[in-house]
């Protein structure tokens, strides 16, 4: 039976050949996304030279498996064998893309249940960088008002300003942390581990400063050669418009050779959904739970 292990930072290069896929746009095609949420969803993985499979826990405490990366049919056979041994259902999670298209051709006996709160918002990089036209009028006004009120500067994340970046991050999380918020705790811990590591993870970050005070930060990493994933975007509550500023400046200054920017999901939070829709996504990437409805595995 296959053995699932908890992902470590040192697994970054092992996962890369399976993740960097030009046919997929989901944030789940990204090491940082998997690593950040491993503590919340108990993400564990199986890897060999043919496939990469993740096993997670859903809200009811049941196992859910990623649609296998790499050799889909080989990976599904491993999942079926594992579930037969464990006497559990081979339920899956995935996003719209070429792996799901192939899965539809090969397998029946699964009910496709859309997970709207997990849909990714994907934007044209040029739209976020330029904010042109009537549909972005209010965004341009926000930036104009911020620029009139504050003497702000933009800094890409480097080793020299890493301490400022992490200090702001720590303060942001401390101001919002509550005992039960496992998501925030997982984010904070993972960000610190990633930025303090020397693994060579391919990420970019930036910050906005007002009079040398950090008021906003962002950090992301590539999904493939034309899609960049934003993992973190945080702003001081007293400088809320800085979200709009760092969003534009990061897209403009750092991401010029990407076509798309994936800003991930809205977690079902009404205000966050409204904010993400206000930037006019090019694609709202559907995600599904694939619930097994076939005969018992025996």
């Amino acid at each position: 039976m296959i053995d699932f292990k908890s992902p470590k930072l040192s697994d970054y290069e092992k996962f890369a050949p399976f993740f960097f896929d030009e046919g997929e746009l989901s944030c789940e095609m990204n090491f940082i996304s998997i690593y950040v949420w491993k503590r919340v969803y108990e993400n564990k993985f199986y890897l060999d030279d043919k496939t990469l499979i993740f096993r997670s826990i859903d809200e009811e405490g049941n196992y859910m498996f990623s649609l296998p990366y790499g050799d889909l049919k080989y990976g599904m056979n491993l999942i079926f064998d594992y579930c037969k041994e464990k006497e559990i259902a081979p339920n899956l999670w995935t996003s719209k893309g070429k792996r799901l298209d192939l899965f539809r051709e090969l397998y029946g006996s699964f009910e496709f249940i859309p997970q709207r709160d997990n849909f990714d918002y994907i934007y044209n990089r040029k739209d976020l960088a330029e904010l042109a036209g009537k549909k972005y009028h209010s965004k341009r006004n926000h930036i104009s008002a911020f620029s009139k009120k504050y003497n702000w500067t933009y800094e890409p994340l480097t080793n020299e300003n890493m301490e400022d970046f992490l200090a702001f991050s720590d303060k942001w999380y401390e101001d919002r942390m509550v005992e039960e918020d496992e998501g925030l705790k997982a984010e904070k811990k993972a960000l610190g581990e990633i930025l303090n590591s020397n693994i060579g993870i391919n990420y970019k970050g930036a910050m906005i400063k007002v009079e040398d005070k950090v008021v906003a930060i962002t950090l992301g990493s590539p999904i493939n050669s034309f899609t960049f994933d934003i993992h973190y975007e945080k702003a001081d509550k007293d400088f809320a418009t800085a979200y709009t500023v760092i969003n534009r400046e990061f897209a403009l200054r750092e991401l010029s050779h990407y076509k798309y920017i994936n800003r991930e999901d809205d977690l079902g939070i009404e205000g966050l959904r409204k904010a993400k829709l206000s930037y006019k996504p090019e694609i709202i990437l559907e995600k599904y739970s694939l619930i097994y409805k076939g005969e018992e595995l025996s």
Side-chain angles (χ1 to χ4, degrees):
M1 184 167 60
I2 57 178
D3 182 27
F4 286 95
K5 301 177 181 179
S6 181
K8 301 176 181 178
L9 289 175
S10 57
D11 295 315
Y12 171 68
E13 291 187 357
K14 301 175 188 175
F15 294 174
F18 294 96
F19 278 166
F20 204 81
D21 190 323
E22 305 292 15
E24 301 278 354
L25 300 175
S26 168
C27 67
E28 276 86 23
M29 299 295 293
N30 185 291
F31 176 83
I32 292 180
S33 290
I34 293 292
Y35 187 82
V36 165
W37 295 105
K38 72 172 185 174
R39 294 178 176 89
V40 176
Y41 299 110
E42 299 183 29
N43 293 335
K44 297 184 183 296
F45 75 95
Y46 168 79
L47 173 69
D48 64 24
D49 60 350
K50 291 184 179 181
T51 192
L52 171 63
I53 301 168
F54 290 96
R55 190 194 70 190
S56 305
I57 301 290
D58 69 10
E59 292 179 354
E60 285 74 42
N62 301 311
Y63 284 153
M64 297 285 289
F65 302 87
S66 67
L67 206 59
Y69 302 82
D71 188 328
L72 177 65
K73 194 168 184 180
Y74 168 79
M76 284 303 304
N77 287 338
L78 292 179
I79 291 174
F80 283 133
D81 289 344
Y82 180 88
C83 291
K84 179 180 177 181
E85 180 90 14
K86 292 281 189 180
E87 298 183 342
I88 59 175
N91 296 330
L92 307 162
W93 53 264
T94 192
S95 61
K96 190 174 182 179
K98 71 176 188 179
R99 285 183 304 135
L100 182 56
D101 293 340
L102 178 58
F103 180 85
R104 288 180 187 272
E105 294 177 11
L106 295 175
Y107 299 96
S109 303
F110 283 85
E111 179 182 1
F112 288 58
I113 301 177
Q115 300 296 314
R116 177 62 183 86
D117 294 350
N118 296 325
F119 287 9
D120 283 354
Y121 293 81
I122 300 174
Y123 306 83
N124 276 318
R125 197 277 321 173
K126 186 176 180 181
D127 286 346
L128 298 189
E130 298 180 0
L131 298 178
K134 184 177 180 180
K135 63 182 179 179
Y136 293 116
H137 178 72
S138 64
K139 306 297 184 188
R140 296 195 303 274
N141 282 347
H142 289 160
I143 295 172
S144 178
F146 188 86
S147 298
K148 289 177 181 177
K149 188 172 183 179
Y150 303 112
N151 179 25
W152 62 270
T153 57
Y154 170 93
E155 293 184 15
L157 179 61
T158 65
N159 290 333
E160 286 69 34
N161 60 22
M162 181 72 73
E163 186 174 333
D164 289 345
F165 188 99
L166 287 170
F168 176 86
S169 173
D170 288 344
K171 180 66 164 56
W172 190 94
Y173 283 108
E174 286 169 7
D175 288 346
R176 290 157 181 82
M177 197 74 72
V178 293
E179 186 69 25
E180 298 80 13
D181 199 328
E182 296 301 322
L184 283 182
K185 288 192 284 188
E187 270 194 351
K188 180 178 184 294
K189 186 171 180 61
L191 178 62
E193 290 171 346
I194 290 165
L195 295 182
N196 284 306
S197 76
N198 58 359
I199 299 298
I201 295 173
N202 183 18
Y203 60 76
K204 288 177 179 287
M207 64 188 81
I208 298 294
K209 289 184 174 181
V210 172
E211 304 295 345
D212 289 328
K213 175 185 178 181
V214 180
V215 299
I217 62 172
T218 190
L219 184 135
S221 64
I223 292 173
N224 53 39
S225 67
F226 60 88
T227 310
F228 193 88
D229 186 9
I230 303 295
H231 306 298
Y232 298 92
E233 189 179 83
K234 313 296 185 187
D236 188 316
K237 63 181 183 299
D238 295 327
F239 296 84
T241 310
Y243 277 113
T244 312
V245 177
I246 199 165
N247 187 332
R248 184 194 68 176
E249 295 301 308
F250 193 59
L252 179 66
R253 299 177 188 237
E254 309 298 335
L255 306 181
S256 60
H257 66 282
Y258 292 97
K259 180 179 180 181
Y260 294 126
I261 296 175
N262 184 328
R263 294 183 56 79
E264 301 191 355
D265 57 31
D266 60 34
L267 301 173
I269 300 170
E270 183 178 353
L272 189 55
R273 180 169 298 181
K274 182 178 179 181
K276 294 201 174 193
L277 288 171
S278 74
Y279 277 97
K280 314 302 180 186
E282 178 73 12
I283 301 166
I284 299 180
L285 186 68
E286 298 167 8
K287 298 187 180 180
Y288 300 92
S289 293
L290 309 182
I291 305 303
Y292 186 67
K293 298 297 182 182
E295 297 179 0
E296 290 186 13
L297 299 172
S298 59

